Amino acid sequence: MAASSTHVGETSAEQDARNVNDSHRAVDAGEIAIGVIIGRTSEFFDFFVYAIASVLVFPSVIFSFADPVTGTLLSFAVFALAFVARPFGTVLFSAVDRNYGRGVRLTIALMLLGVSTVAVAFLPSYDQVGWLAIAILIIFRIGQGLALAGAWDGLASLLALNAPQHKRGWYAMMPQLGAPIGLIVASALFAYLSSALSAQDFLEWGWRYPFFVAFAINVVALFSRLRIVVTPEYTNLFKSGELIPSTIRETLANDWRNVVIGAFAPLASFALFHMVTVFPLSYVFLYTEDPPVDFLLIEVGSACVGLVAVILSGFLADRFGRRWLLGVSAAFIGVYSVFAPLLLGAGQIGEIIYMVVGFALLGVSFGQSSGVVASNFSRLYRYTGSALTSDMAWLFGAGFAPVVALALSASFGLISSGAYLLSGAVCTLLALYFNRQLARTN
């Protein structure tokens, strides 16, 4: 198999990483965890830089022909394209993985992600080139989605496979730390630029700077992850059959039930993900007089709460079980969905409560949402199956959350936005129930 042969199709970056490993001690579990966190942080930083720009920049720069609400809805529609593209990216990069190796896959994916992201910094406005600006933005966004799928390196699976029985929840939460860290950095950077620049300067050139930063972070993350991917320990696990990239057809033919259940099990946390990050920023920006800087700082503080909650999820999952924790958190998210919209429309104090409570729930649930049914996959299909479930969960749970929530709020009032979140909580509870029944019959 080409993917398991040594040095087949190595990139120069992979060769450099291998040389580093040849001259140093073997990478231990702690270093693997650090590599996972760095990799996920870089991906989520890219994600949130684009997400924030979708609210503060693109409606004015790219969709200036529309009113603010319509422009934001159009911006969110383009935002969702990355999630639509992810399953196609998994198909594409799985083939690269099987034929050329994981180092080549990761290098191509992260370079595509970096180029697609930094290219947004050079985006012309609609006033300059008309519809071509929209077409270019769509291309870059699809490129980000394809690349995010290709960036699936299996490091989280490596952590899970080597986690002690009583520490599986702790190791499962480590990759999820990248989300709050990425949001904290992205929101703080946009808050600084928004406050330091005039509105005109920010819309003309200031917003472009975070996309350059994202590219630099991607370069660092690439080498950090290659540093682990090419280690003998990781390669041996790959050869042993624990992390073999099977074809999509084989995976679905043999483990389609687990793919479906795995896609719907984390829907509550994935739906909540955008309901406390992207959507509230758009609502505050469109329907209140609050400066966006103030809300970005609220996001920074709330994301810190979420970071602590992610860490807490590791302790709770090891104490009570991951499925139990996801089920309880989904129930609380369902309750939260009923009254949370009222808080968002109740002034700055309400906004703070909305965000802090939302991020606390998000941290606990999202911290254990990755691979809750991964252990159900057959060994040969665990790697590709986990990638597919992640793609599907993001697509169904989070991809359309901002545009649906904003459209509902614009048409039927803010309270209606909670319906989307409630549906995610119901899907999670049903998926966990069917997962339990499936486990009993196998």
Side-chain angles (χ1 to χ4, degrees):
M1 179 180 287
S4 60
S5 59
T6 306
H7 301 290
V8 174
E10 278 191 349
T11 63
S12 60
E14 188 176 356
Q15 291 171 353
D16 291 341
R18 192 180 295 278
N19 291 335
V20 170
N21 289 323
D22 288 342
S23 60
H24 290 78
R25 61 178 174 82
V27 176
D28 59 26
E31 289 177 307
I32 294 174
I34 292 173
V36 171
I37 294 171
I38 291 175
R40 296 299 294 276
T41 299
S42 70
E43 292 172 13
F44 276 109
F45 179 78
D46 282 23
F47 175 88
F48 285 118
V49 163
Y50 187 97
I52 294 172
S54 294
V55 177
L56 302 184
V57 179
F58 298 148
S60 299
V61 174
I62 306 301
F63 302 102
S64 56
F65 57 87
D67 62 84
V69 174
T70 302
T72 305
L73 288 171
L74 291 171
S75 180
F76 281 164
V78 176
F79 175 78
L81 291 178
F83 300 94
V84 177
R86 283 185 68 153
F88 298 97
T90 294
V91 174
L92 172 64
F93 282 100
S94 291
V96 174
D97 198 336
R98 290 192 303 273
N99 290 284
Y100 300 102
R102 197 154 320 170
V104 174
R105 166 184 176 154
L106 191 58
T107 301
I108 294 175
L110 288 185
M111 290 307 297
L112 175 60
L113 179 60
V115 170
S116 298
T117 300
V118 75
V120 177
F122 299 96
L123 195 68
S125 68
Y126 179 85
D127 294 339
Q128 293 174 320
V129 296
W131 64 269
L132 186 59
I134 301 174
I136 294 173
L137 181 63
I138 289 173
I139 292 172
F140 293 157
R141 186 57 180 164
I142 292 175
Q144 286 181 320
L146 295 173
L148 283 170
W152 182 272
D153 52 20
L155 289 179
S157 298
L158 180 62
L159 273 177
L161 288 170
N162 290 276
Q165 183 70 26
H166 63 288
K167 286 286 187 182
R168 288 183 175 177
W170 177 257
Y171 281 90
M173 70 85 186
M174 287 185 180
Q176 309 302 76
L177 292 172
I181 295 173
L183 176 60
I184 290 168
V185 178
S187 297
L189 183 55
F190 267 101
Y192 170 75
L193 291 171
S194 297
S195 61
L197 301 174
S198 66
Q200 181 178 353
D201 286 342
F202 176 77
L203 288 177
E204 284 184 359
W205 57 269
W207 67 271
R208 304 174 190 271
Y209 177 73
F211 289 90
F212 291 111
V213 175
F215 181 79
I217 292 176
N218 273 330
V219 173
V220 175
L222 170 61
F223 194 80
S224 173
R225 293 160 82 171
L226 286 177
R227 165 78 173 87
I228 299 168
V229 166
V230 299
T231 59
E233 291 77 17
Y234 192 91
T235 303
N236 288 337
L237 276 177
F238 179 70
K239 288 180 178 179
S240 72
E242 295 287 0
L243 296 171
I244 288 178
S246 57
T247 65
I248 304 299
R249 179 178 298 179
E250 291 173 341
T251 302
L252 292 178
N254 290 275
D255 259 337
W256 67 268
R257 290 181 181 85
N258 287 320
V259 171
V260 173
I261 293 174
F264 283 90
L267 241 58
S269 60
F270 281 27
L272 180 60
F273 188 91
H274 280 164
M275 292 298 290
V276 296
T277 56
V278 184
F279 166 68
L281 178 62
S282 68
Y283 181 84
V284 169
F285 186 65
L286 290 170
Y287 293 105
T288 75
E289 298 297 326
D290 297 345
V293 174
D294 291 353
F295 193 81
L296 287 171
L297 293 177
I298 292 175
E299 277 200 331
V300 171
S302 301
C304 291
V305 174
L307 181 63
V308 174
V310 169
I311 296 173
L312 178 62
S313 76
F315 292 103
L316 293 176
D318 288 330
R319 177 69 183 275
F320 302 105
R322 296 176 67 187
R323 289 183 179 88
W324 176 89
L325 183 60
L326 271 183
V328 171
S329 60
F332 276 102
I333 290 172
V335 174
Y336 173 81
S337 68
V338 176
F339 70 84
L342 300 175
L343 291 172
L344 188 58
Q348 194 168 75
I349 298 299
E351 293 168 7
I352 293 173
I353 298 173
Y354 174 96
M355 294 294 288
V356 171
V357 174
F359 266 98
L361 289 173
L362 177 63
V364 172
S365 59
F366 186 71
Q368 299 300 315
S369 65
S370 177
V372 66
V373 297
S375 59
N376 292 356
F377 283 109
S378 305
R379 187 181 69 169
L380 293 177
Y381 307 112
R382 182 179 295 130
Y383 177 73
T384 301
S386 296
L388 280 175
T389 57
S390 177
D391 292 341
M392 294 297 102
W394 280 110
L395 175 60
F396 297 132
F400 297 97
V403 66
V404 170
L406 184 58
L408 288 173
S409 299
S411 300
F412 306 106
L414 185 57
I415 190 66
S416 64
S417 65
Y420 188 92
L421 186 54
L422 180 59
S423 67
V426 171
C427 286
T428 289
L429 292 172
L430 289 174
L432 292 175
Y433 170 78
F434 285 116
N435 181 52
R436 186 177 181 180
Q437 296 300 112
L438 183 63
R440 286 177 174 176
T441 57
N442 286 341

